[in-house]
């Protein structure tokens, strides 16, 4: 674990009672650094302390404003409807003694703190249909509860985050600059990416821009961003750094990317990357039960596009970072980003091979909620 030299300085700025001798690294995020800290009073909740990656999140005050807006909205909905426990089912940020929900230390680093939710767990790879179903319910409910929050009020904390046209341009730029001479190693991957680029531009087409509603979405719906309780029931959606305006299909696609894959996001052995269709069905069922009452037919028909777009875009993002010299994602070995790229492209290949089946299964579930007739 990296030692935090100024831990005392940081924690003393927040309204908390931490036992600073208890600090431990926590989680598997690729961007921020997360630590768990115990409460000095054992009967009270513990804390998570996060160092926010300032290279990725350039405007931490705006990011925090987005997060607080969403958190407040979700908690208020639970209080008003009397459904759900706002303390356990929504993240709770800890304020600094000066008021804001973040602190910039003497080295210029940004920190935030939130409550640690006891008796919860996350899965990097989904194991059961029950878990997948609960994931679908959690992200579907998250979107549903935010559908009366105007997307206009949200800041675009990472510009063009899921704009595939821009992602392709960033890849082209990395190819042109090629600082480590890695382009030579990735010609197969570049060909695969080029072969699908046109079909992936769906969300940037004029027709979609005119018809698809923009909503407040999560933008990082990896399955491990849902906390499940000890009975494997969804409890809380976490990692709200990227809540912004976008299309529901982005969140559907990113969740499916992690749920339908029998292997890890960075699986080395490509033949292990196979689809788990029962988990796809279970997620879709849970999702439609919660989102079926607010999404429209256009959005429903766009879900399948998200299923292809997200692994494709993720492959491009990993490859761009690989070519740029691994500056964005944390890596565990020299060619980790290349390995991740290959795994995502393999997943995409599998998805393409089963595209009809996948689409039929989405429509079958949608019919149950009268979202379409045929
Ligand atoms: C990053 O840090 P983490 O794991 O929550 C990334 C997501 C990617 C994901 C891929 C801000 O999320 O967009 O989908 O890695 N977050 C950002 O695993 O770029
Ligand atoms: Mg994240």
């Amino acid at each position: 674990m990296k030692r935090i030299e100024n831990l005392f300085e940081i924690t003393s700025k927040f309204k908390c009672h931490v036992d600073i001798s208890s600090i431990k690294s926590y989680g598997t995020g690729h961007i921020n650094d997360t630590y768990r800290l115990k409460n000095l009073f054992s009967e009270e909740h513990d804390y998570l302390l996060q160092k926010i990656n300032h290279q990725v999140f350039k405007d931490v005050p705006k990011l925090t404003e987005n997060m607080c807006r969403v958190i407040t909205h979700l908690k208020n909905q639970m209080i008003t409807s009397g459904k759900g426990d706002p303390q356990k089912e929504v993240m709770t940020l800890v304020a600094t003694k000066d008021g804001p929900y973040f602190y910039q230390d003497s080295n210029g680093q940004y920190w935030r703190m939130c409550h640690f939710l006891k008796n919860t767990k996350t899965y990097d790879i989904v194991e059961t249909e029950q878990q997948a179903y609960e994931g679908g319910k959690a992200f579907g409910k998250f979107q549903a509860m935010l559908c009366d929050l105007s997307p206009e009020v949200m800041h675009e904390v990472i510009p063009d985050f899921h704009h595939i046209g821009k992602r392709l341009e960033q890849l082209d730029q990395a190819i042109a600059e090629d600082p480590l001479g890695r382009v030579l190693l990735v010609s197969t991957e570049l060909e695969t990416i080029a072969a699908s680029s046109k079909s992936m531009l769906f969300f940037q087409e004029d027709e979609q821009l005119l018809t698809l509603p923009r909503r407040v979405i999560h933008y990082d719906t990896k399955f491990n961003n849902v906390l499940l309780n000890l009975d494997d029931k969804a409890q809380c959606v976490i990692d709200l750094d990227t809540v912004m305006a976008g299309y529901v299909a982005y969140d559907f696609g990113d969740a499916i990317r992690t749920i339908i894959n029998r292997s890890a996001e960075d699986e080395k052995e490509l033949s292990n990357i196979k689809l788990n269709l029962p988990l796809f069905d279970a997620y879709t069922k849970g999702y439609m039960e919660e989102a079926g009452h607010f999404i429209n037919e256009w959005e429903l028909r766009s879900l399948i596009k998200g299923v292809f777009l997200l692994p494709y875009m993720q492959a491009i993002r990993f490859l761009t970072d690989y070519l740029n010299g691994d500056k964005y994602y944390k890596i565990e070995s020299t060619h980790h980003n290349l390995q991740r790229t290959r795994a995502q492209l393999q997943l995409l290949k599998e998805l393409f091979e089963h595209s009809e089946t996948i689409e039929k299964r989405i429509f079958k579930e949608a019919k149950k909620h009268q979202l379409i007739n045929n």
Side-chain angles (χ1 to χ4, degrees), residues 28-32 56-57 158 161-162 167 219-222 224-225 239 241-242 254 257-258 265 310 314 317-318 328-329 340:
T28 55
H30 297 343
I31 308 285
N32 296 327
V56 170
F57 297 106
I158 303 185
F161 195 41
H162 282 5
R167 292 290 181 190
Y219 267 105
D220 190 9
T221 48
K222 293 205 276 202
N224 64 14
N225 278 333
D239 194 357
D241 284 318
T242 47
D254 211 14
R257 181 178 76 80
T258 56
E265 179 179 79
L310 270 292
Q314 207 62 250
R317 293 177 60 194
F318 287 143
Y328 188 94
Y329 295 105
R340 287 167 170 156

Side-chain angles (χ1 to χ4, degrees), residues 8-27:
F8 188 75
E9 172 202 333
I10 297 157
T11 53
S12 70
K13 300 294 171 181
F14 287 89
K15 290 184 187 160
C16 62
H17 308 112
V18 296
D19 167 3
I20 57 171
S21 68
S22 69
I23 191 160
K24 282 204 176 87
S25 262
Y26 189 81

Side-chain angles (χ1 to χ4, degrees), residues 220-265:
D220 190 9
T221 48
K222 293 205 276 202
F223 190 76
N224 64 14
N225 278 333
V226 181
L227 298 182
L228 301 181
N229 69 18
L230 300 183
D231 298 324
D232 266 350
K233 295 267 184 232
Q235 182 174 320
C236 180
V237 169
I238 55 167
D239 194 357
L240 305 181
D241 284 318
T242 47
V243 283
M244 288 182 283
Y247 301 122
V248 290
Y250 290 160
D251 278 0
F252 185 78
D254 211 14
I256 296 305
R257 181 178 76 80
T258 56
I259 283 158
I260 204 169
N261 189 350
R262 289 190 187 266
S263 300
E265 179 179 79

